[in-house]
Coordinates of all heavy atoms in Angstrom, one line a residue:
R335 N -15.9 -4.5 10.3 CA -16.7 -4.7 11.6 C -16.3 -3.5 12.5 O -17.2 -3.0 13.3 CB -16.3 -6.0 12.2 CG -17.1 -6.4 13.4 CD -16.7 -7.7 13.9 NE -17.8 -8.5 14.2 CZ -17.7 -9.7 14.8 NH1 -16.5 -10.2 15.1 NH2 -18.8 -10.4 15.1
L336 N -15.1 -3.2 12.6 CA -14.6 -2.1 13.4 C -15.0 -0.7 12.9 O -14.9 0.3 13.6 CB -13.1 -2.1 13.6 CG -12.5 -3.3 14.3 CD1 -11.0 -3.3 14.2 CD2 -12.9 -3.2 15.8
E337 N -15.3 -0.7 11.6 CA -15.6 0.6 11.0 C -14.4 1.6 11.1 O -14.5 2.7 11.5 CB -16.9 1.3 11.5 CG -18.1 0.4 11.2 CD -19.4 1.0 11.7 OE1 -19.4 2.1 12.3 OE2 -20.4 0.4 11.5
F338 N -13.2 1.0 11.0 CA -12.0 1.7 11.2 C -11.7 2.6 10.0 O -11.7 2.2 8.8 CB -10.8 0.7 11.3 CG -9.7 1.3 12.2 CD1 -9.8 1.2 13.6 CD2 -8.6 1.8 11.7 CE1 -8.8 1.7 14.4 CE2 -7.6 2.3 12.5 CZ -7.7 2.3 13.9
P339 N -11.4 3.9 10.2 CA -11.3 4.9 9.1 C -9.9 4.8 8.5 O -9.0 5.6 8.8 CB -11.5 6.2 9.9 CG -10.9 6.0 11.3 CD -11.3 4.5 11.5
C340 N -9.8 3.9 7.5 CA -8.5 3.8 6.8 C -8.7 3.1 5.5 O -9.8 2.6 5.2 CB -7.5 3.0 7.7 SG -8.0 1.3 7.9
S341 N -7.7 3.1 4.7 CA -7.7 2.3 3.5 C -6.7 1.2 3.6 O -5.6 1.4 4.1 CB -7.2 3.3 2.4 OG -7.0 2.6 1.2
I342 N -7.1 0.0 3.2 CA -6.2 -1.2 3.3 C -5.7 -1.5 1.9 O -6.5 -1.7 1.0 CB -6.9 -2.4 3.9 CG1 -7.4 -2.0 5.3 CG2 -6.0 -3.6 3.9 CD1 -8.3 -3.1 5.9
V343 N -4.4 -1.6 1.8 CA -3.8 -2.0 0.5 C -3.2 -3.4 0.8 O -2.4 -3.5 1.8 CB -2.7 -1.1 0.0 CG1 -2.0 -1.6 -1.2 CG2 -3.3 0.3 -0.3
S344 N -3.5 -4.4 0.0 CA -3.1 -5.7 0.3 C -2.1 -6.2 -0.8 O -2.4 -6.0 -2.0 CB -4.3 -6.7 0.3 OG -3.9 -8.0 0.5
V345 N -1.0 -6.7 -0.4 CA 0.0 -7.3 -1.4 C 0.3 -8.7 -0.9 O 0.1 -9.0 0.3 CB 1.3 -6.4 -1.5 CG1 1.0 -5.1 -2.1 CG2 2.0 -6.3 -0.1
S346 N 0.8 -9.6 -1.8 CA 0.9 -11.0 -1.5 C 2.2 -11.5 -1.0 O 2.3 -12.7 -0.6 CB 0.5 -11.8 -2.7 OG 1.3 -11.5 -3.8
D347 N 3.2 -10.7 -0.9 CA 4.5 -11.1 -0.4 C 5.4 -9.9 -0.1 O 5.1 -8.8 -0.5 CB 5.2 -12.1 -1.3 CG 5.5 -11.6 -2.7 OD1 6.1 -10.5 -2.8 OD2 5.2 -12.3 -3.7
G348 N 6.5 -10.2 0.5 CA 7.4 -9.1 0.9 C 8.0 -8.4 -0.3 O 8.3 -7.1 -0.2
L349 N 8.3 -9.1 -1.4 CA 8.9 -8.4 -2.6 C 7.9 -7.4 -3.2 O 8.2 -6.3 -3.5 CB 9.3 -9.4 -3.6 CG 10.1 -8.9 -4.8 CD1 11.3 -8.2 -4.3 CD2 10.4 -10.0 -5.7
E350 N 6.6 -7.8 -3.2 CA 5.6 -6.8 -3.7 C 5.4 -5.7 -2.7 O 5.2 -4.5 -3.2 CB 4.2 -7.6 -3.9 CG 3.2 -6.7 -4.6 CD 1.9 -7.4 -4.9 OE1 1.8 -8.7 -4.6 OE2 1.0 -6.8 -5.4
A351 N 5.6 -5.9 -1.5 CA 5.5 -4.8 -0.5 C 6.7 -3.9 -0.7 O 6.5 -2.7 -0.6 CB 5.5 -5.4 0.9
L352 N 7.9 -4.4 -0.9 CA 9.0 -3.6 -1.1 C 8.8 -2.7 -2.4 O 9.1 -1.5 -2.4 CB 10.2 -4.5 -1.3 CG 11.6 -3.9 -1.5 CD1 12.6 -4.8 -0.8 CD2 11.9 -3.7 -3.0
E353 N 8.2 -3.3 -3.4 CA 7.9 -2.5 -4.7 C 6.9 -1.4 -4.4 O 7.1 -0.3 -4.9 CB 7.4 -3.5 -5.7 CG 8.5 -4.4 -6.3 CD 8.0 -5.5 -7.1 OE1 6.8 -5.7 -7.2 OE2 8.8 -6.3 -7.6
Y354 N 5.9 -1.7 -3.5 CA 4.9 -0.7 -3.1 C 5.6 0.4 -2.4 O 5.4 1.6 -2.7 CB 3.9 -1.4 -2.3 CG 2.8 -0.4 -1.8 CD1 1.6 -0.2 -2.5 CD2 3.0 0.4 -0.7 CE1 0.7 0.7 -2.1 CE2 2.0 1.3 -0.3 CZ 0.9 1.5 -1.0 OH -0.1 2.4 -0.6
L355 N 6.4 0.1 -1.4 CA 7.0 1.1 -0.5 C 8.0 1.9 -1.3 O 8.2 3.1 -1.0 CB 7.7 0.5 0.7 CG 6.7 -0.1 1.7 CD1 7.5 -1.0 2.7 CD2 5.9 0.9 2.3
E356 N 8.7 1.4 -2.3 CA 9.7 2.1 -3.1 C 9.0 2.9 -4.2 O 9.7 3.7 -4.8 CB 10.7 1.2 -3.7 CG 11.7 0.6 -2.6 CD 12.8 -0.2 -3.2 OE1 12.6 -0.8 -4.3 OE2 13.9 -0.2 -2.7
G357 N 7.7 2.7 -4.4 CA 7.0 3.4 -5.5 C 7.3 2.9 -6.9 O 7.2 3.7 -7.8
H358 N 7.6 1.7 -7.0 CA 7.9 1.1 -8.4 C 6.5 0.8 -9.0 O 5.5 0.6 -8.3 CB 8.7 -0.2 -8.3 CG 10.1 0.1 -7.8 ND1 11.0 0.8 -8.5 CD2 10.7 -0.4 -6.7 CE1 12.1 0.9 -7.8 NE2 12.0 0.1 -6.7
D359 N 6.5 0.8 -10.3 CA 5.2 0.4 -11.0 C 4.8 -0.9 -10.6 O 5.6 -1.8 -10.3 CB 5.5 0.4 -12.6 CG 5.5 1.8 -13.2 OD1 4.9 2.7 -12.6 OD2 6.2 1.9 -14.2
P360 N 3.5 -1.1 -10.4 CA 2.4 -0.2 -10.7 C 2.0 0.7 -9.5 O 0.9 1.3 -9.5 CB 1.2 -1.2 -10.9 CG 1.5 -2.3 -10.0 CD 3.0 -2.4 -9.9
Y361 N 2.9 0.9 -8.5 CA 2.6 1.7 -7.3 C 3.3 3.1 -7.3 O 3.4 3.7 -6.3 CB 3.1 0.9 -6.1 CG 2.6 -0.5 -6.0 CD1 3.4 -1.6 -6.2 CD2 1.2 -0.7 -5.8 CE1 2.9 -2.9 -6.1 CE2 0.7 -2.0 -5.7 CZ 1.6 -3.1 -5.9 OH 1.1 -4.4 -5.8
S362 N 3.6 3.6 -8.5 CA 4.4 4.8 -8.5 C 3.5 6.1 -8.2 O 4.1 7.1 -7.8 CB 5.1 5.0 -9.9 OG 4.1 4.9 -10.9
D363 N 2.2 6.0 -8.4 CA 1.4 7.2 -8.1 C 1.0 7.2 -6.7 O 0.2 6.5 -6.2 CB 0.1 7.1 -9.0 CG -0.8 8.3 -8.9 OD1 -0.6 9.2 -8.0 OD2 -1.7 8.4 -9.7
R364 N 1.7 8.1 -5.9 CA 1.5 8.2 -4.4 C 0.1 8.7 -4.1 O -0.3 8.5 -3.0 CB 2.6 9.1 -3.8 CG 3.9 8.3 -3.6 CD 3.7 7.2 -2.6 NE 4.9 6.4 -2.5 CZ 5.0 5.1 -2.4 NH1 3.9 4.4 -2.4 NH2 6.1 4.5 -2.4
S365 N -0.6 9.4 -5.0 CA -2.0 9.8 -4.7 C -2.9 8.6 -4.6 O -3.8 8.6 -3.9 CB -2.5 10.8 -5.7 OG -2.6 10.3 -7.0
K366 N -2.6 7.6 -5.4 CA -3.3 6.3 -5.4 C -2.8 5.3 -4.4 O -3.5 4.5 -3.9 CB -3.4 5.7 -6.8 CG -4.2 6.4 -7.8 CD -4.1 5.7 -9.1 CE -4.8 6.5 -10.2 NZ -4.7 5.9 -11.5
F367 N -1.5 5.3 -4.2 CA -0.8 4.4 -3.4 C 0.1 5.1 -2.4 O 1.4 5.1 -2.5 CB 0.1 3.4 -4.2 CG -0.7 2.7 -5.3 CD1 -0.7 3.1 -6.6 CD2 -1.5 1.6 -4.9 CE1 -1.4 2.4 -7.6 CE2 -2.2 0.9 -5.9 CZ -2.2 1.3 -7.2
P368 N -0.5 5.7 -1.4 CA 0.3 6.5 -0.4 C 1.1 5.6 0.5 O 0.8 4.4 0.7 CB -0.8 7.2 0.4 CG -2.0 6.4 0.2 CD -1.9 5.8 -1.1
L369 N 2.1 6.1 1.1 CA 2.9 5.4 2.1 C 2.0 5.0 3.3 O 1.2 5.8 3.7 CB 4.1 6.2 2.6 CG 5.3 6.3 1.6 CD1 6.3 7.2 2.1 CD2 5.9 4.9 1.3
P370 N 2.1 3.8 3.8 CA 1.2 3.4 4.9 C 1.6 4.1 6.2 O 2.8 4.5 6.4 CB 1.4 1.9 4.9 CG 2.8 1.7 4.5 CD 3.0 2.8 3.4
K371 N 0.7 4.1 7.2 CA 1.0 4.5 8.5 C 1.3 3.3 9.4 O 1.9 3.4 10.4 CB -0.3 5.1 9.2 CG -0.7 6.4 8.6 CD 0.1 7.5 9.3 CE -0.4 8.9 8.9 NZ 0.1 9.9 9.6
L372 N 1.0 2.1 8.9 CA 1.2 0.8 9.6 C 1.3 -0.3 8.6 O 0.6 -0.3 7.6 CB 0.0 0.6 10.5 CG -0.1 -0.7 11.4 CD1 0.9 -0.5 12.6 CD2 -1.5 -0.9 11.8

């Protein structure tokens, strides 16, 4: 609705978020899973 220029990556809990931020599989490719701004 906001037409906000961003990509949203959704994870279901803090442990999955930690894995994303640390770049563990399946999130190891930073071109597909970049570090978030927020």
Side-chain angles (χ1 to χ4, degrees):
R335 187 182 225 186
L336 292 171
E337 299 178 359
F338 210 82
C340 67
S341 172
I342 301 170
V343 175
S344 178
V345 296
S346 61
D347 61 49
L349 189 56
E350 189 176 356
L352 185 145
E353 291 166 355
Y354 179 95
L355 292 170
E356 289 186 330
H358 295 297
D359 283 334
Y361 307 111
S362 57
D363 185 348
R364 283 293 177 220
S365 65
K366 291 181 185 176
F367 303 103
L369 287 173
K371 291 274 187 171
L372 177 79

